[in-house]
Amino acid sequence: MTTILYILAGIVFLVIILALIAPKNYDVSRSIKVQQSVPVVFEYLKYLKNQDNWSPWGKRDPNMKKEFEGTDGEIGATSKWEGNKDVGSGEQEIKRIVENKVIESELRFLKPWKSQSDAYLRVKETGEGETEVTWGFSGKNKFPVSIMMLFMNMDKAVGKDFEEGLVSLKDILEK
């Protein structure tokens, strides 16, 4: 009986230590330069429906069910999706727009697991007719997911998807 108590105490102690050292936050972003003016780029980016043209997740499930609510390109506009195991299901709602600067939205993932993240698209002029686009998202790792993040690198998991999407975005905007 004493051995079982020691084993249980050891497991509890290990979980507590892992929870203390686990990453509490994440912030993943990638940037690309586009040969187009800030107003042109920003006008394209602010519409949720345009994301279907360049987002890598749309390519992973061409049969994904999409639904839109509100006025696209304005605060409160919401895109809902339900897809295969590669894209899951969730929704994205525009929360803040600062014209020719940033579009901020809230991502609410429902499947394969529930989570919430803050997403952003930032633009800034880097030269005449050149715009840097930064696409990213950030959030908090809650227990027990925070412990899983010790063994999973969010930047590696999502960074390549952001890079792929930004290359597609660049191709579209530079045509």
Side-chain angles (χ1 to χ4, degrees), residues 157-171:
V158 181
K160 288 184 187 210
D161 293 332
F162 282 11
E163 291 167 10
E164 178 186 338
L166 287 171
V167 167
S168 293
L169 176 68
K170 178 180 175 78
D171 289 345

Side-chain angles (χ1 to χ4, degrees), residues 4-167:
I4 293 173
L5 289 175
Y6 281 127
I7 290 171
L8 288 175
I11 292 171
V12 169
F13 180 73
L14 178 62
V15 169
I16 290 169
I17 294 300
L18 290 175
L20 289 172
I21 64 171
K24 307 294 185 263
N25 301 300
Y26 58 89
D27 188 352
V28 178
S29 67
R30 295 292 190 273
S31 298
I32 198 165
K33 291 184 180 174
V34 176
Q35 298 305 310
Q36 204 52 267
S37 69
V38 166
V40 168
V41 173
F42 192 84
E43 183 65 22
Y44 185 83
L45 288 175
K46 74 180 183 180
Y47 295 99
L48 293 171
K49 289 179 182 174
N50 285 344
Q51 288 184 9
D52 290 340
N53 301 327
W54 57 273
S55 168
W57 296 289
K59 294 173 187 167
R60 293 204 180 106
D61 184 1
N63 299 315
M64 182 179 2
K65 294 176 191 161
K66 298 282 290 211
E67 183 182 319
F68 295 91
E69 294 177 355
T71 303
D72 197 9
E74 294 182 11
I75 293 170
T78 304
S79 166
K80 297 179 180 187
W81 73 91
E82 189 172 327
N84 62 24
K85 64 180 177 74
D86 292 329
V87 299
S89 65
E91 53 191 35
Q92 177 179 7
E93 180 182 353
I94 297 175
K95 291 295 204 173
R96 181 172 172 253
I97 298 174
V98 178
E99 197 67 27
N100 295 325
K101 299 272 186 222
V102 66
I103 300 121
E104 294 175 352
S105 57
E106 183 177 275
L107 288 170
R108 297 180 288 265
F109 298 101
L110 305 173
K111 290 181 185 175
W113 62 82
K114 279 189 159 189
S115 69
Q116 183 175 314
S117 297
D118 297 315
Y120 53 89
L121 286 161
R122 294 184 182 128
V123 296
K124 73 175 181 180
E125 184 176 3
T126 54
E128 192 171 325
E130 182 180 78
T131 301
E132 181 179 69
V133 177
T134 301
W135 182 23
F137 81 128
S138 61
K140 297 186 183 313
N141 295 320
K142 296 178 183 175
F143 179 83
V145 174
S146 60
I147 292 176
M148 290 183 348
M149 290 300 127
L150 287 167
F151 308 101
M152 179 186 155
N153 184 318
M154 188 69 83
D155 191 77
K156 285 183 182 175
V158 181
K160 288 184 187 210
D161 293 332
F162 282 11
E163 291 167 10
E164 178 186 338
L166 287 171
V167 167

